[in-house]
Amino acid sequence: MSHKRVAILISGGGSNMVSLVDSMAGDHPARPCLVLANDPEAGGLKKAAARGIPTASIDHRPFKGDRAAFEAELLKPLEAAGPDIVCLAGFMRVLTGDFVSRFQGRMLNIHPSLLPKYKGLNTHARAIEAGDAEHGCSVHEVTAALDDGPILGQARVQIDANDTPEALAARVLVCEHKLYPAVLRRYASGDRTPVLLP
Ligand code: GRF
């Protein structure tokens, strides 16, 4: 069986990338083909290299906000790797519609909220502030609109009394590490049925 090739974009420690990479084994229909970071110091790059996965990085800072120029460089190693699927995993740069359009329909992202609630940043603090009873994470297909696109999976956690954003984030991250691999496996097999945990 020829495996689907998966490129994973990261910005930092890459804990979601590690979960995805470690899940792509055995009878899984996909295999990682590249881990790409927007920061040469991203801790996830070493973790990927230790797993024998090709890595690359394009530092976004020299481009000083010229998104198109940064993305033109980012595309070089990404397209060279010939991915069938692109997974954004803790990738903290907003991508332009032009970049997204090259991968629309085969690019996923994980976001730490129960979308469509709390798009953007500081999701855990916002959920606590709002007095929500539950929070969680979502995997969605990436479209030009930020943290939008068809939902492919969600995992829910209870918000405890006196929960802090850090404690809640830690519990959500554990769910991310379960949800994203489950969604990728289903997605790589051509099934877009949402994964709902628990
Ligand atoms: C975490 O806040 C996670 O919720 C979000 O990206 C951040 C870093 O994730 N998806 P990772 O450890 O780099 O995967």
Side-chain angles (χ1 to χ4, degrees), residues 25-84:
D27 64 353
H28 192 297
R31 289 294 186 276
C33 65
L34 176 69
V35 170
L36 177 56
N38 64 292
D39 175 355
E41 304 304 314
L45 290 170
K46 287 192 181 62
K47 298 171 190 171
R51 287 166 171 77
I53 298 162
T55 62
S57 67
I58 304 289
D59 191 340
H60 69 274
R61 286 163 295 200
F63 296 93
K64 293 188 178 43
D66 182 346
R67 287 188 195 286
F70 164 62
E71 289 176 355
E73 287 308 306
L74 195 72
L75 272 173
K76 290 175 184 169
L78 182 55
E79 293 196 329
D84 299 299

Side-chain angles (χ1 to χ4, degrees), residues 85-107:
I85 297 169
V86 178
C87 289
L88 307 181
F91 188 68
M92 304 306 272
R93 306 301 298 168
V94 173
L95 295 166
T96 65
D98 176 62
F99 185 98
V100 169
S101 65
R102 293 167 186 272
F103 300 100
Q104 184 127 5
R106 56 196 183 103
M107 181 152 67

